[in-house]
Amino acid sequence: MTTRRWSFLAPLAIFTLCCAAVLLGVLFLVGSPMKAHYLVILLYFAGLTGLLHAWQEDGLISDPKGFVRRFMTALMGKMLLSLVALMVLLLFAPIAIRVPLALSFAVLYLGFLVFSTLRLFNLAKQAPAK
């Protein structure tokens, strides 16, 4: 049970590192400076995805029918929280990097959303029916 509960950490860490490498490469190619803001975005999505996965996977095991409710709640919460985080980030970011920062945020949001959805979908298919 304990191994299963934290089984998402290794794939999440690998995915986050891949996203960081791609982000670094794209920023280098377009000549945009690498600022700490980008690291904050990566850590935000990795942390939020980790917390939501812990909560959702626990629901998949303990209450499979309530899992769908948890999944939808997490999607809405992540979207609303991300909109607020993006507004705050852009408010305090230097003007020169606001556009690349917003685009990076949007692409990383979608990337982590796809990662999370595919992982949970596969786990739900494998879960024993109750």
Side-chain angles (χ1 to χ4, degrees):
M1 176 72 177
T2 307
T3 307
R4 171 96 170 123
R5 179 169 171 84
W6 299 107
S7 64
F8 63 87
L9 288 180
L12 179 61
I14 292 168
F15 183 75
T16 303
L17 289 174
C18 290
C19 286
V22 170
L23 180 63
L24 253 165
V26 170
L27 287 174
F28 177 76
L29 287 176
V30 298
S32 184
M34 180 61 179
K35 301 280 185 181
H37 298 82
Y38 297 104
L39 180 62
V40 168
I41 293 172
L42 270 171
L43 293 177
Y44 165 76
F45 282 120
L48 185 60
T49 301
L51 289 173
L52 290 175
H53 263 275
W55 179 61
Q56 289 171 316
E57 287 187 22
D58 183 51
L60 182 61
I61 295 166
S62 64
D63 182 20
K65 292 186 183 198
F67 168 72
V68 174
R69 191 173 40 249
R70 284 187 184 207
F71 180 74
M72 294 306 290
T73 301
L75 283 179
M76 290 303 299
K78 185 176 185 177
M79 182 182 65
L80 293 174
L81 190 61
S82 294
L83 283 173
V84 171
L86 179 61
M87 284 189 271
V88 169
L89 192 62
L90 292 178
L91 186 64
F92 293 107
I95 293 173
I97 67 165
R98 284 186 183 167
V99 171
L101 193 65
L103 290 173
S104 300
F105 192 95
V107 170
L108 288 171
Y109 173 83
L110 291 174
F112 276 89
L113 179 68
V114 168
F115 167 80
S116 184
T117 303
L118 289 176
R119 175 156 172 78
L120 290 169
F121 178 72
N122 286 331
L123 288 175
K125 280 192 336 187
Q126 296 170 4
K130 283 190 177 184

PDB file of all heavy atoms in Angstrom, residues 68-85:
ATOM      1  N   VAL A  68     -14.144   9.899  -9.458  1.00  0.00           N
ATOM      2  CA  VAL A  68     -14.507  10.825 -10.539  1.00  0.00           C
ATOM      3  C   VAL A  68     -14.768  12.217  -9.973  1.00  0.00           C
ATOM      4  O   VAL A  68     -14.350  13.225 -10.545  1.00  0.00           O
ATOM      5  CB  VAL A  68     -15.741  10.303 -11.312  1.00  0.00           C
ATOM      6  CG1 VAL A  68     -16.220  11.308 -12.337  1.00  0.00           C
ATOM      7  CG2 VAL A  68     -15.425   8.975 -11.967  1.00  0.00           C
ATOM      8  N   ARG A  69     -15.416  12.282  -8.835  1.00  0.00           N
ATOM      9  CA  ARG A  69     -15.671  13.566  -8.175  1.00  0.00           C
ATOM     10  C   ARG A  69     -14.354  14.226  -7.776  1.00  0.00           C
ATOM     11  O   ARG A  69     -14.169  15.423  -7.973  1.00  0.00           O
ATOM     12  CB  ARG A  69     -16.577  13.338  -6.965  1.00  0.00           C
ATOM     13  CG  ARG A  69     -17.115  14.583  -6.357  1.00  0.00           C
ATOM     14  CD  ARG A  69     -18.152  14.322  -5.259  1.00  0.00           C
ATOM     15  NE  ARG A  69     -17.825  13.196  -4.374  1.00  0.00           N
ATOM     16  CZ  ARG A  69     -18.492  12.051  -4.338  1.00  0.00           C
ATOM     17  NH1 ARG A  69     -19.527  11.859  -5.127  1.00  0.00           N
ATOM     18  NH2 ARG A  69     -18.150  11.089  -3.506  1.00  0.00           N
ATOM     19  N   ARG A  70     -13.430  13.449  -7.237  1.00  0.00           N
ATOM     20  CA  ARG A  70     -12.118  13.995  -6.882  1.00  0.00           C
ATOM     21  C   ARG A  70     -11.370  14.482  -8.117  1.00  0.00           C
ATOM     22  O   ARG A  70     -10.710  15.513  -8.086  1.00  0.00           O
ATOM     23  CB  ARG A  70     -11.264  12.943  -6.170  1.00  0.00           C
ATOM     24  CG  ARG A  70     -11.649  12.709  -4.755  1.00  0.00           C
ATOM     25  CD  ARG A  70     -10.657  11.789  -4.082  1.00  0.00           C
ATOM     26  NE  ARG A  70     -11.089  11.479  -2.728  1.00  0.00           N
ATOM     27  CZ  ARG A  70     -10.279  11.171  -1.754  1.00  0.00           C
ATOM     28  NH1 ARG A  70      -8.989  11.102  -1.959  1.00  0.00           N
ATOM     29  NH2 ARG A  70     -10.734  10.919  -0.559  1.00  0.00           N
ATOM     30  N   PHE A  71     -11.465  13.721  -9.191  1.00  0.00           N
ATOM     31  CA  PHE A  71     -10.779  14.083 -10.425  1.00  0.00           C
ATOM     32  C   PHE A  71     -11.295  15.417 -10.961  1.00  0.00           C
ATOM     33  O   PHE A  71     -10.515  16.309 -11.308  1.00  0.00           O
ATOM     34  CB  PHE A  71     -10.961  12.972 -11.464  1.00  0.00           C
ATOM     35  CG  PHE A  71     -10.293  13.253 -12.771  1.00  0.00           C
ATOM     36  CD1 PHE A  71      -8.920  13.168 -12.891  1.00  0.00           C
ATOM     37  CD2 PHE A  71     -11.040  13.626 -13.874  1.00  0.00           C
ATOM     38  CE1 PHE A  71      -8.288  13.434 -14.096  1.00  0.00           C
ATOM     39  CE2 PHE A  71     -10.424  13.894 -15.085  1.00  0.00           C
ATOM     40  CZ  PHE A  71      -9.048  13.800 -15.193  1.00  0.00           C
ATOM     41  N   MET A  72     -12.601  15.574 -11.022  1.00  0.00           N
ATOM     42  CA  MET A  72     -13.195  16.812 -11.539  1.00  0.00           C
ATOM     43  C   MET A  72     -12.911  17.992 -10.605  1.00  0.00           C
ATOM     44  O   MET A  72     -12.647  19.099 -11.067  1.00  0.00           O
ATOM     45  CB  MET A  72     -14.701  16.639 -11.747  1.00  0.00           C
ATOM     46  CG  MET A  72     -15.048  15.628 -12.833  1.00  0.00           C
ATOM     47  SD  MET A  72     -14.258  15.967 -14.423  1.00  0.00           S
ATOM     48  CE  MET A  72     -15.128  17.416 -14.909  1.00  0.00           C
ATOM     49  N   THR A  73     -12.956  17.761  -9.310  1.00  0.00           N
ATOM     50  CA  THR A  73     -12.640  18.812  -8.345  1.00  0.00           C
ATOM     51  C   THR A  73     -11.200  19.266  -8.508  1.00  0.00           C
ATOM     52  O   THR A  73     -10.902  20.460  -8.477  1.00  0.00           O
ATOM     53  CB  THR A  73     -12.876  18.313  -6.903  1.00  0.00           C
ATOM     54  OG1 THR A  73     -14.238  17.912  -6.776  1.00  0.00           O
ATOM     55  CG2 THR A  73     -12.558  19.384  -5.884  1.00  0.00           C
ATOM     56  N   ALA A  74     -10.308  18.321  -8.701  1.00  0.00           N
ATOM     57  CA  ALA A  74      -8.898  18.656  -8.884  1.00  0.00           C
ATOM     58  C   ALA A  74      -8.677  19.444 -10.169  1.00  0.00           C
ATOM     59  O   ALA A  74      -7.889  20.394 -10.196  1.00  0.00           O
ATOM     60  CB  ALA A  74      -8.048  17.381  -8.889  1.00  0.00           C
ATOM     61  N   LEU A  75      -9.367  19.061 -11.251  1.00  0.00           N
ATOM     62  CA  LEU A  75      -9.241  19.806 -12.507  1.00  0.00           C
ATOM     63  C   LEU A  75      -9.680  21.256 -12.344  1.00  0.00           C
ATOM     64  O   LEU A  75      -8.989  22.178 -12.790  1.00  0.00           O
ATOM     65  CB  LEU A  75     -10.075  19.144 -13.607  1.00  0.00           C
ATOM     66  CG  LEU A  75      -9.538  17.885 -14.252  1.00  0.00           C
ATOM     67  CD1 LEU A  75     -10.521  17.362 -15.289  1.00  0.00           C
ATOM     68  CD2 LEU A  75      -8.197  18.153 -14.899  1.00  0.00           C
ATOM     69  N   MET A  76     -10.820  21.463 -11.719  1.00  0.00           N
ATOM     70  CA  MET A  76     -11.326  22.828 -11.537  1.00  0.00           C
ATOM     71  C   MET A  76     -10.443  23.622 -10.577  1.00  0.00           C
ATOM     72  O   MET A  76     -10.144  24.790 -10.823  1.00  0.00           O
ATOM     73  CB  MET A  76     -12.770  22.790 -11.011  1.00  0.00           C
ATOM     74  CG  MET A  76     -13.767  22.310 -12.032  1.00  0.00           C
ATOM     75  SD  MET A  76     -13.773  23.295 -13.544  1.00  0.00           S
ATOM     76  CE  MET A  76     -14.211  24.891 -12.913  1.00  0.00           C
ATOM     77  N   GLY A  77     -10.038  22.989  -9.483  1.00  0.00           N
ATOM     78  CA  GLY A  77      -9.177  23.681  -8.521  1.00  0.00           C
ATOM     79  C   GLY A  77      -7.842  24.065  -9.133  1.00  0.00           C
ATOM     80  O   GLY A  77      -7.348  25.177  -8.917  1.00  0.00           O
ATOM     81  N   LYS A  78      -7.270  23.154  -9.891  1.00  0.00           N
ATOM     82  CA  LYS A  78      -5.978  23.433 -10.531  1.00  0.00           C
ATOM     83  C   LYS A  78      -6.116  24.561 -11.538  1.00  0.00           C
ATOM     84  O   LYS A  78      -5.240  25.435 -11.624  1.00  0.00           O
ATOM     85  CB  LYS A  78      -5.461  22.164 -11.214  1.00  0.00           C
ATOM     86  CG  LYS A  78      -4.079  22.295 -11.797  1.00  0.00           C
ATOM     87  CD  LYS A  78      -3.617  20.963 -12.365  1.00  0.00           C
ATOM     88  CE  LYS A  78      -2.199  21.015 -12.839  1.00  0.00           C
ATOM     89  NZ  LYS A  78      -1.728  19.722 -13.321  1.00  0.00           N
ATOM     90  N   MET A  79      -7.204  24.594 -12.285  1.00  0.00           N
ATOM     91  CA  MET A  79      -7.404  25.643 -13.268  1.00  0.00           C
ATOM     92  C   MET A  79      -7.563  27.004 -12.593  1.00  0.00           C
ATOM     93  O   MET A  79      -6.910  27.982 -12.981  1.00  0.00           O
ATOM     94  CB  MET A  79      -8.628  25.355 -14.131  1.00  0.00           C
ATOM     95  CG  MET A  79      -8.853  26.404 -15.203  1.00  0.00           C
ATOM     96  SD  MET A  79     -10.319  26.129 -16.197  1.00  0.00           S
ATOM     97  CE  MET A  79     -11.609  26.316 -14.983  1.00  0.00           C
ATOM     98  N   LEU A  80      -8.405  27.079 -11.584  1.00  0.00           N
ATOM     99  CA  LEU A  80      -8.629  28.358 -10.905  1.00  0.00           C
ATOM    100  C   LEU A  80      -7.378  28.840 -10.174  1.00  0.00           C
ATOM    101  O   LEU A  80      -7.014  30.017 -10.252  1.00  0.00           O
ATOM    102  CB  LEU A  80      -9.807  28.243  -9.938  1.00  0.00           C
ATOM    103  CG  LEU A  80     -11.167  28.030 -10.601  1.00  0.00           C
ATOM    104  CD1 LEU A  80     -12.238  27.792  -9.559  1.00  0.00           C
ATOM    105  CD2 LEU A  80     -11.528  29.220 -11.471  1.00  0.00           C
ATOM    106  N   LEU A  81      -6.716  27.941  -9.483  1.00  0.00           N
ATOM    107  CA  LEU A  81      -5.495  28.303  -8.777  1.00  0.00           C
ATOM    108  C   LEU A  81      -4.403  28.737  -9.755  1.00  0.00           C
ATOM    109  O   LEU A  81      -3.655  29.687  -9.491  1.00  0.00           O
ATOM    110  CB  LEU A  81      -5.016  27.124  -7.927  1.00  0.00           C
ATOM    111  CG  LEU A  81      -3.897  27.394  -6.938  1.00  0.00           C
ATOM    112  CD1 LEU A  81      -4.322  28.441  -5.919  1.00  0.00           C
ATOM    113  CD2 LEU A  81      -3.508  26.111  -6.238  1.00  0.00           C
ATOM    114  N   SER A  82      -4.343  28.081 -10.901  1.00  0.00           N
ATOM    115  CA  SER A  82      -3.344  28.432 -11.909  1.00  0.00           C
ATOM    116  C   SER A  82      -3.618  29.794 -12.534  1.00  0.00           C
ATOM    117  O   SER A  82      -2.688  30.537 -12.836  1.00  0.00           O
ATOM    118  CB  SER A  82      -3.276  27.360 -12.994  1.00  0.00           C
ATOM    119  OG  SER A  82      -2.785  26.163 -12.449  1.00  0.00           O
ATOM    120  N   LEU A  83      -4.881  30.127 -12.723  1.00  0.00           N
ATOM    121  CA  LEU A  83      -5.207  31.460 -13.242  1.00  0.00           C
ATOM    122  C   LEU A  83      -4.772  32.551 -12.272  1.00  0.00           C
ATOM    123  O   LEU A  83      -4.203  33.564 -12.678  1.00  0.00           O
ATOM    124  CB  LEU A  83      -6.706  31.574 -13.521  1.00  0.00           C
ATOM    125  CG  LEU A  83      -7.200  30.910 -14.787  1.00  0.00           C
ATOM    126  CD1 LEU A  83      -8.714  30.935 -14.857  1.00  0.00           C
ATOM    127  CD2 LEU A  83      -6.602  31.576 -16.013  1.00  0.00           C
ATOM    128  N   VAL A  84      -5.021  32.339 -11.001  1.00  0.00           N
ATOM    129  CA  VAL A  84      -4.595  33.311  -9.985  1.00  0.00           C
ATOM    130  C   VAL A  84      -3.068  33.383  -9.930  1.00  0.00           C
ATOM    131  O   VAL A  84      -2.487  34.476  -9.891  1.00  0.00           O
ATOM    132  CB  VAL A  84      -5.184  32.944  -8.601  1.00  0.00           C
ATOM    133  CG1 VAL A  84      -4.579  33.801  -7.500  1.00  0.00           C
ATOM    134  CG2 VAL A  84      -6.703  33.091  -8.622  1.00  0.00           C
ATOM    135  N   ALA A  85      -2.418  32.225  -9.957  1.00  0.00           N
ATOM    136  CA  ALA A  85      -0.952  32.197  -9.913  1.00  0.00           C
ATOM    137  C   ALA A  85      -0.350  32.906 -11.129  1.00  0.00           C
ATOM    138  O   ALA A  85       0.630  33.647 -11.004  1.00  0.00           O
ATOM    139  CB  ALA A  85      -0.447  30.753  -9.848  1.00  0.00           C
TER     140      ALA A  85
END
